[in-house]
């Protein structure tokens, strides 16, 4: 794909930012399990927290409020620090909800906040509602001018001790109607009755907050409803379509990083009297890693272009998320093999990439769910 001049500039800027600001601290972010707030502020300064936010709400007004630009930025960030890329990917999904479904006042409040570096979260998953999102049981009972939320959400990205300023919660406003009785409601971090529970200890993406959220008699004004009452499930599904392109971009960045690390290692590491890059067995690994990654990139950009053109893109979003995420797991596994024992050690970034990649075929819909979505779209 040929990028426009603005897209190339944005990609270059994101790459420079990632190498300059994230590369030196990516291992610390992983070890210390937090992304320094200054990093988020710096990202806000260059427009990454407002990737899809129009200028009128404080966005950078890049050529850029497109899905293609989102892919370019997220993949560049993920090359250096997948945790940071994840924060931006999920946050961009939340921006998208306000952009598509928010009223003017909500756009002014939350998109401007996003542009200034506040971070949004999206709460759909519950202990008994993972792949089956329709089983969500958190209630938002209408009461006068308010909704009263009760229930709990789990594995929620972008909310925890370090991150998260507001969260879009999918809750039942009319339980009899199942998915047709769910609404999207924004809850600010310090709202009474809303507490952030356990921050999960994770295999990878350790820098990013992923937590349990608890709502107990949590009262918010009805003006916090996003879109129409009982339309929340569709809002969530649409948001996930766009979000899955962001996750696929994250996977691309991890694959790119693993390939780059492997090329460097294959040039340096000498065994049997020559650099291991001369060994055909490892060359074939590398060729497959690069070929699969480029195929994934083509699919991710096709999905992004379809979304930007206003075409239906549910199927392509699921295809690219499925393929790019499985590719990242495969590529990092092979890269680790190329690195041998060194790849297993924390001194090399490969083990982090391998751990970071492993979540991507799971969150924002498992690979199995993506295949369900793809098949349903084909059979329509
Ligand atoms: N766009 C718009 N509307 C959609 C839609 C889409 N892509 N997909 C479904 N809908 C609508 C349907 O048209 C239907 O509407 P009607 O009631 O008017 O007919 C309604 O939503 C219900 O759809 P389904 O009958 O297809 O629902 P289902 O119960 O069979 O579930 C599913 C579909 C695809 C399996 C869905 O449950 C799903 O995507 N599950 C995975 C959940 C997921 O991805 N969770 C990730 C959590 S977020 C996360 O991980 C973020 C993070 O922190 C990193």
């Amino acid at each position: 794909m040929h990028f426009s001049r603005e897209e190339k500039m944005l990609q270059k800027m994101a790459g420079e930012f990632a190498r300059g600001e994230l590369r030196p601290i990516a291992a610390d972010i992983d070890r210390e399990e937090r992304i320094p707030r200054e990093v988020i502020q710096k990202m806000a300064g260059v427009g990454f927290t407002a990737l899809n936010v129009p200028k009128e709400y404080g966005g950078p007004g890049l050529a850029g409020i497109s899905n293609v630009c989102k892919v370019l930025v997220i993949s560049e960030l993920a090359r250096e620090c997948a945790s940071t890329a994840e924060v931006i990917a999920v946050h961009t999904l939340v921006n998208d909800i306000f952009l598509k479904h928010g009223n003017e006042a909500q756009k002014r409040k939350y998109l401007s906040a996003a542009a200034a570096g506040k971070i949004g979260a999206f709460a759909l998953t519950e202990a008994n509602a993972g792949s089956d999102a329709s089983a969500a049981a958190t209630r938002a009972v209408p009461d006068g001018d308010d909704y009263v939320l009760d229930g709990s959400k789990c594995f929620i990205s972008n909310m925890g001790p370090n991150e998260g300023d507001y969260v879009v919660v999918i809750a039942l406003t009319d339980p009899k109607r199942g998915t047709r009785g769910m609404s999207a409601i924004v809850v600010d971090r310090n709202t009474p009755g809303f507490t952030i529970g356990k921050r999960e200890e994770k295999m990878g993406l350790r820098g990013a907050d992923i937590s349990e959220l608890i709502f107990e008699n949590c009262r918010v004004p009805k003006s916090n409803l996003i879109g129409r009452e009982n339309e929340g499930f569709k809002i969530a599904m649409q948001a996930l379509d766009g979000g899955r392109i962001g996750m696929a971009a994250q996977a691309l960045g991890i694959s790119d990083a693993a390939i780059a690390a492997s090329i460097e290692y294959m040039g340096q590491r000498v065994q049997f009297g020559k650099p291991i890059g001369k060994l055909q067995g490892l060359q074939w690994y590398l060729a497959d890693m690069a070929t699969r990654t480029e195929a994934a990139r083509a699919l991710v950009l096709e999905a992004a272009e379809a979304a930007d053109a206003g075409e239906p893109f549910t199927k392509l979003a699921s295809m690219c998320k499925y393929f790019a995420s499985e590719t990242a797991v495969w590529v990092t596994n092979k890269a680790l093999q190329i690195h041998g024992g060194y790849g297993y050690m924390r001194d090399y970034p490969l083990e982090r990439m391998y751990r970071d990649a492993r979540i991507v075929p799971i969150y924002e819909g498992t690979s199995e769910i993506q295949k369900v979505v793809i098949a349903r779209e084909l059979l329509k």
Side-chain angles (χ1 to χ4, degrees), residues 86 90 93 122 124-125 130-134 155-157 179-180 233-234 237-238 240-241 244 247 314 362-366 369-370 372-373 376-377:
E86 197 238 354
V90 173
L93 175 160
F122 170 65
L124 173 66
T125 303
S131 288
D132 183 8
S134 71
F155 303 158
I156 303 305
S157 303
T179 55
R180 292 181 178 182
F233 193 78
K234 279 188 188 157
M237 291 297 119
Q238 278 175 13
L240 285 172
D241 284 347
R244 286 166 182 164
M247 290 303 159
T314 299
I362 296 174
Y363 68 4
E364 290 208 10
T366 61
I369 286 294
Q370 306 311 328
V372 167
V373 173
R376 282 186 186 179
E377 289 291 314

Side-chain angles (χ1 to χ4, degrees), residues 82-129:
S83 291
T84 306
E86 197 238 354
V87 171
I88 294 299
V90 173
H91 171 74
T92 305
L93 175 160
V94 178
N95 285 348
D96 226 32
I97 292 179
F98 286 108
L99 206 55
K100 294 204 176 106
H101 305 282
N103 59 34
E104 190 55 30
Q106 290 167 343
K107 285 181 189 170
R108 293 238 164 262
K109 178 171 175 189
Y110 291 102
L111 294 178
S112 306
K118 300 282 185 216
I119 294 294
F122 170 65
L124 173 66
T125 303
E126 299 183 7
N128 294 318

